[in-house]
Every structure is written in C-alpha cells, then in structure tokens.
Amino acid sequence: MKVISLNFLTCAVKSCKSSGAAFPLHPKDAELVQDDIELNAQMLLNILPRLDWAALRTNATELGFPELPAELPTREALEADEKKLKDLHHLLVETQIMEGKLVCRNCGHEYAIREGIANFLLPSHLV
Amino acid sequence: MLPTPDTSHVPFSRVYEPSEDSYLLLDTLSAPAETAFLHARFQGHPPLVLEVGTGSGVVIAFVVAQAAHLFGRRDILAAGVDVNPFACRATNDTVRKAQVDHPGTHAPCWLGADVGDLAAPLPPGKVDILLFNPPYVPSEALPSLPPDAAAPSDLAGLAYSLSNLTDRTPSFDGDSYLLALSYAGGRDGMETTSRLVESLPDILSARGCAYILLCAQNKPDDVKARVGRLGPSWRALTVGESGNKAGWEKLQVIRISKDNVRDRRES
Ligand SMILES: [Zn+2]
C-alpha cells in the first residue's frame, strides 16, 4: 500500500470510528519499497488539498521521512519548488509499505500488512 | 465500447470470475447518462472511488483505466476492499495491468485493495463513489466472514481461518468457501446488501453516491423504499438494466445518492 493510502484508512472497530485517536493508524515495523513512478505535478497538486495534512505529517515522521511543514504549502509555493513536489511525490505515491502493521491508538488493535495488503477483518471479540 | 480490463492472471477457482453482473456495471458506468452525471457531480472535486467486493478487480480496474472518459479527469483516487485476500491480490494486479494498458486515460492514484468487511477500513464520510456488486444470490445460510484472514501467500493461515468457521458453514471448504463469500447473499440475497445500505449515511461524503447491483429476487423496489427511509434527501434510481439472457435473471444497477436536486429521469 502507498503511504497516501494511510490517509484513507482507519480502525475497523465500530466504537473507534468516532474517536479522533483511531485516525490515522500508525505504521509499525514497516518494510518499505520504492517504486519508480513518473511525477504528474498537476495531478498531485489537485489531490493534495484532499488529504488530511496533519495525519500525513504524523505518518511521514513515523516512517522515517524528513518532517513535513506544519501546514500544506500553497499551490503556488509548490509549483515554484520542484524539489518539494518531487519529495511529496516520492513519499505519497512512490513509497509502498509491503510488510508490517498498522496500529490503532484508540483500541490498540494491530492490523497486519502482508504483500502490501492490510487485513482489516477483526477477531471475533472485536466485531 | 471501452475495453474490458484483462483478468487472465486471476485464479478463478477461488476468485469470482467477471460475469454478466460485472459487465452490466461497466456498461452502466460508461453509458452517456452516467458519465454526464459523474462529470457534473465531481467537477472541481477529485472523487474517492471505493469498490466493495472487488473480486477479480475488473470493475475498479475499468474505472481506474478509463478515469478520463468516466469523470473527465485523471486525478481520482481509487481503492478496493474484499474479504478474500486472493481477490485483493488479484485486484491489485488487474488494476496495475489496466493502468499500463491505458496510458492516456488512467488514474495514477490507485490506493490499493485491502482485506475487510464492506467499507469498515475507511474513515466515515470520505467515499464519493461506492461500487458494489454484492453477494446477491439467495441462499439458506450466509457464510460467516473469515475471522482473521490470511495473507494471500499464507495458506497455513488460511487453513487456520477456515478451521475456525462457525457451524453455519459446515459444508464449505477452501476455495468453494471463498467463492461462496462472493455470491451467497442469505435471505432474499439481501443480508450483506442490507448491511451496506444501512451504513451508507456513515460511509458517503456529502456529494457521495453508490452504485449497487441487484437481481430481481432482491426485490429492487423494496431496496429503493428502504433507501427512502434513510432520510428525506436520499434517492435511489435504476440506472442500468439487463434482460434475461444466457441463464441470467434480470439484473439492474441502482444509483443511491443524497440529493436535493431531483434527477430528470426520476419519476
Ligand atoms: Zn481501534
């Protein structure tokens, strides 16, 4: 799964849905691979405002990437700074989590990731 | 006719094979009336598309590959969920292949397929377009979900989860169990679809809509009435139909949305 995917995943436990602590999930023991994907600047600029920047910032740091700025840079600022745009592309689109876990900070449940696929089916005591 | 994604790599002994129902979804989404609706609804707003129960991935791969045709934009985000880990792996492969095969029209941002129950892994209110070709065949029992499913390569884990099936599914084994998950819908074939419809207000974004495939035995008029009971602004509209052919009963696709604007085809 791509790092951007973490922005669209949360704990599957029903009682966690309303808790702010269940989003984002936190990667643990993550094994990363880097794909080589061509940068499409306009598309990335269109998608960025859709993201929860604070959640992305947390996940990026957890995965060992350099700290992101506190606020999403403006479109103009990114258009003028190809390096920054390339770094975001690398983090969001090119980096894949292949193995590891995603941890919910509300209930503590750990979702296994294998072959880039996370398993959100719950053990019977959590359903 | 836009081309159907290649699924020749998919192990159809344990993953649902694209069939009449899958193709009706493709035809419906690419029909002029629906592309016009989707273009208008998501103008200036790149949608997040989620397919629940991706199976081979043929439907979500089609959406990803033809994003420019369906939405008039390629910056859509797309994701999939399936209870069957083999289906998730197949879906990822089908989507990546379709992206390569359609360089000029595809959406680059495929978020991936994950194992899960319906839209449970998604945060509330994020999904703009939900696609669902449900297990809709009436069956005596609804196969229970695998409790802690295995990764695709982890057959030992799969055997473990299969040995933990409840007594509601005594006769299903291995591959046939995984296929049963993809079609057996319990009472009226509606047990899983009903759960999804009830949860739509939590899943969909403000401009969200859902495309759900139904067969005649699902009592589509009852389903629409149930959508109406979600609230005064909820609409359900038949947007695709196929007649009885080659042993298939009549199928239809309904589009469910929360809307204050009445669609001109709505009676
Ligand atoms: Zn949780």
Side-chain angles (χ1 to χ4, degrees):
Chain A
M1 71 169 54
K2 293 179 196 296
V3 172
I4 190 177
S5 309
L6 298 180
N7 226 270
F8 298 95
L9 292 170
T10 190
C11 184
V13 176
K14 242 203 175 107
S15 55
C16 284
K17 294 276 181 201
S18 54
S19 161
F23 178 84
L25 297 172
H26 303 280
K28 185 178 159 188
D29 307 329
E31 287 174 30
L32 306 181
V33 297
Q34 312 294 343
D35 292 345
D36 193 14
I37 298 171
E38 201 184 332
L39 167 68
N40 186 320
Q42 285 310 311
M43 237 174 280
L44 186 59
L45 288 166
N46 289 350
I47 288 169
L48 284 173
R50 277 220 61 160
L51 302 183
D52 184 316
W53 185 258
L56 175 66
R57 194 163 174 260
T58 302
N59 288 149
T61 309
E62 289 166 339
L63 290 167
F65 284 82
E67 189 171 59
L68 294 175
E71 304 280 338
L72 167 65
T74 64
R75 194 178 178 108
E76 294 69 34
L78 286 171
E79 275 172 337
D81 189 342
E82 207 193 344
K83 162 94 170 59
K84 222 172 238 159
L85 207 51
K86 274 196 170 144
D87 286 348
L88 279 174
H89 171 72
H90 178 67
L91 168 69
L92 286 168
V93 183
E94 291 191 315
T95 304
Q96 300 251 18
I97 306 175
M98 295 308 289
E99 303 285 327
K101 295 181 178 99
L102 295 175
V103 184
C104 171
R105 206 157 272 171
N106 194 50
C107 70
H109 189 66
E110 300 188 346
Y111 297 94
I113 304 171
R114 288 183 224 168
E115 298 179 37
I117 296 170
N119 176 14
F120 285 90
L121 290 176
L122 296 167
S124 47
H125 70 277
L126 286 176
V127 175
Chain B
M1 255 315 243
L2 299 170
T4 303
D6 178 11
T7 52
S8 57
H9 54 280
V10 179
F12 293 125
S13 62
R14 46 174 58 145
V15 175
Y16 186 73
E17 187 167 358
S19 307
E20 199 65 28
D21 42 14
S22 327
Y23 301 133
L24 177 60
L25 267 170
L26 303 194
D27 290 345
T28 302
L29 292 168
S30 55
E34 264 342 272
T35 59
F37 169 84
L38 293 169
H39 276 64
R41 197 163 177 103
F42 297 103
Q43 198 169 30
H45 180 94
L48 169 64
V49 185
L50 173 72
E51 185 181 13
V52 171
T54 55
S56 66
V58 70
V59 174
I60 193 69
F62 178 81
V63 169
V64 168
Q66 305 298 342
H69 290 301
L70 302 190
F71 308 101
R73 57 193 312 147
R74 296 177 57 204
D75 54 10
I76 69 159
L77 302 160
V81 176
D82 200 294
V83 291
N84 175 353
F86 297 99
C88 290
R89 182 162 66 177
T91 296
N92 283 334
D93 291 344
T94 305
V95 171
R96 287 185 196 125
K97 246 182 176 174
Q99 287 177 317
V100 172
D101 289 346
H102 300 278
T105 58
H106 81 251
C109 207
W110 167 241
L111 299 174
D114 291 305
V115 179
D117 174 35
L118 301 180
L122 278 286
K126 288 245 177 169
V127 176
D128 295 302
I129 300 166
L130 186 143
L131 308 171
F132 192 32
N133 182 3
Y136 59 79
V137 178
S139 60
E140 256 178 51
L142 190 68
S144 54
L145 298 178
D148 253 317
S153 59
D154 190 354
L155 288 168
L158 182 66
Y160 166 80
S161 69
L162 293 174
S163 71
N164 274 286
L165 294 178
T166 69
D167 53 8
R168 291 172 71 194
T169 57
S171 62
F172 294 126
D173 69 327
D175 290 353
S176 64
Y177 163 70
L178 291 173
L179 287 180
L181 282 173
S182 72
Y183 65 76
R187 191 183 172 158
D188 291 337
M190 276 299 294
E191 290 189 33
T192 306
T193 307
S194 295
R195 280 203 299 128
L196 182 88
V197 169
E198 298 302 326
S199 63
L200 284 177
D202 297 326
I203 300 169
L204 294 181
S205 70
R207 69 182 73 212
C209 58
Y211 291 86
I212 300 179
L213 187 128
L214 301 172
C215 74
Q217 292 177 81
N218 299 153
K219 304 176 184 159
D221 288 341
D222 289 3
V223 181
K224 289 179 176 177
R226 181 176 306 179
V227 170
R229 288 196 292 275
L230 292 174
S233 57
W234 287 87
R235 306 267 178 269
L237 186 67
T238 300
V239 291
E241 274 182 290
S242 75
N244 314 44
K245 53 178 168 180
W248 285 83
E249 63 173 313
K250 217 164 161 355
L251 301 172
Q252 64 172 283
V253 176
I254 61 168
R255 186 223 296 150
I256 299 174
S257 60
K258 208 166 105 176
D259 222 339
N260 296 309
V261 185
R262 290 187 80 83
D263 192 285
R264 64 188 156 78
R265 283 167 301 152
E266 198 172 14
S267 53

